[in-house]
Amino acid sequence: MHDAGVKSEHAYLAGMASIGLSFASWMVSVKAEAAGLDRADRWGIFVGEWAPTFFCMGLALSQYERQDNPVYANDPRLTTTAP
């Protein structure tokens, strides 16, 4: 993903946007559909589950970016050695 141009900031922004979209989809479903509160809750939960995925992708991309960055090349926390 990183080679395709996706940065950790993009994933974090997508996570934040999905939180807002979750609330918006819940509000629209409550107001526009006659299906009731249960269906609105399902829409909100469905979209809300995207946020942790985007945040995890952001963390993974952030670690990848740190490994490529020469500033962190000698950081002992990033070196993996077997005990």
Side-chain angles (χ1 to χ4, degrees), residues 2 5-17 54-55 57-62 65:
H2 191 268
V6 179
K7 307 281 189 237
S8 60
E9 292 86 13
H10 298 140
Y12 293 139
L13 286 173
M16 294 301 291
F54 286 126
F55 289 133
M57 288 174 26
L59 286 172
L61 287 167
S62 175
E65 291 164 0

Side-chain angles (χ1 to χ4, degrees), residues 1-76:
M1 288 181 60
H2 191 268
D3 294 337
V6 179
K7 307 281 189 237
S8 60
E9 292 86 13
H10 298 140
Y12 293 139
L13 286 173
M16 294 301 291
S18 69
I19 292 171
L21 185 61
S22 173
F23 180 71
S25 68
W26 181 82
M27 290 290 289
V28 168
S29 183
V30 165
K31 302 286 184 192
E33 293 183 324
L37 187 61
D38 290 341
R39 187 172 192 167
D41 288 345
R42 285 187 211 110
W43 271 112
I45 291 170
F46 171 71
V47 177
E49 289 177 349
W50 300 347
T53 303
F54 286 126
F55 289 133
C56 288
M57 288 174 26
L59 286 172
L61 287 167
S62 175
Q63 288 182 353
Y64 182 81
E65 291 164 0
R66 291 179 85 193
Q67 289 176 349
D68 284 350
N69 191 340
V71 172
Y72 297 105
N74 296 321
D75 191 345

